[in-house]
Amino acid sequence: DAEADRRNPKKNQRLVEAMLEWRRPFLIWLGALHAALVALAFAALGARAAIAAATMLGINFLYSWWGKGKPLLDLLVVGAWGASYAAIAASDARLCAIVGLMTAMMHLFQIHEDRDVDAVNQVSTTAVRLPHLATLSLGTLCAGLAAVLYEPLGPVLAATAFAPLGLR
């Protein structure tokens, strides 16, 4: 979406132009950096962390390449990205789910903040295409987080998962 970033006043225009001008070398460098990151995760933390790092980078690539303009799917993909990011250092599925759900929530707030610029640039996020579902989506994410937190924290503390809904 670098072309659309040219019309986005929030983006660093010098960086956007440099990325467009040097797209091929940048992609080669980025690919090498990704491979180095997976190798470093393997060397430092083992095969499980390397697989999690490769998964996280793959999800990030899929989001950038394909998922960014797909309403609701963008929230799922970004949530999966957050969960896989946490999995690099943690093997606890509950912790990974918590990070994934919170990442999706933060993404929802971010796309809401960028809604006007995205609409002008025809970036079809959940906030642009389905703004009426933003609150429902946030409520669903909060409910999922409360469900994950219920067993270890109990009902009162699990209910704090709805704080982002109140902030919205």
Side-chain angles (χ1 to χ4, degrees), residues 119-159:
V120 167
N121 290 300
Q122 298 176 350
V123 178
S124 183
T125 65
T126 300
V128 171
R129 292 281 306 278
L130 304 169
H132 56 287
L133 289 182
T135 302
L136 179 62
S137 297
L138 183 58
T140 302
L141 292 167
C142 290
L145 182 59
V148 172
L149 294 174
Y150 185 83
E151 183 192 330
L153 300 181
V156 174
L157 290 177

Side-chain angles (χ1 to χ4, degrees), residues 8-58:
N8 186 338
K10 291 185 173 185
K11 301 294 180 177
N12 178 332
Q13 293 304 309
R14 288 182 60 204
L15 178 61
V16 170
E17 290 303 322
M19 287 175 66
L20 288 169
E21 182 179 342
W22 297 92
R23 180 174 280 175
R24 183 170 168 72
F26 178 74
L27 288 175
I28 292 168
W29 175 78
L30 192 58
L33 195 59
H34 281 57
L37 182 62
V38 172
L40 181 61
F42 181 78
L45 301 170
R48 187 196 53 74
I51 291 167
T55 301
M56 182 269 301
L57 293 168

Side-chain angles (χ1 to χ4, degrees), residues 56-104:
M56 182 269 301
L57 293 168
I59 291 170
N60 192 37
F61 173 79
L62 284 175
Y63 173 74
S64 296
W65 188 265
W66 175 75
K68 188 170 186 177
K70 308 258 188 313
L72 294 180
L73 185 61
D74 58 349
L75 297 176
L76 294 173
V77 172
V78 170
W81 177 85
S84 62
Y85 184 80
I88 295 170
S91 60
D92 180 15
R94 179 178 285 133
L95 177 61
C96 294
I98 290 168
V99 173
L101 288 161
M102 293 178 79
T103 303

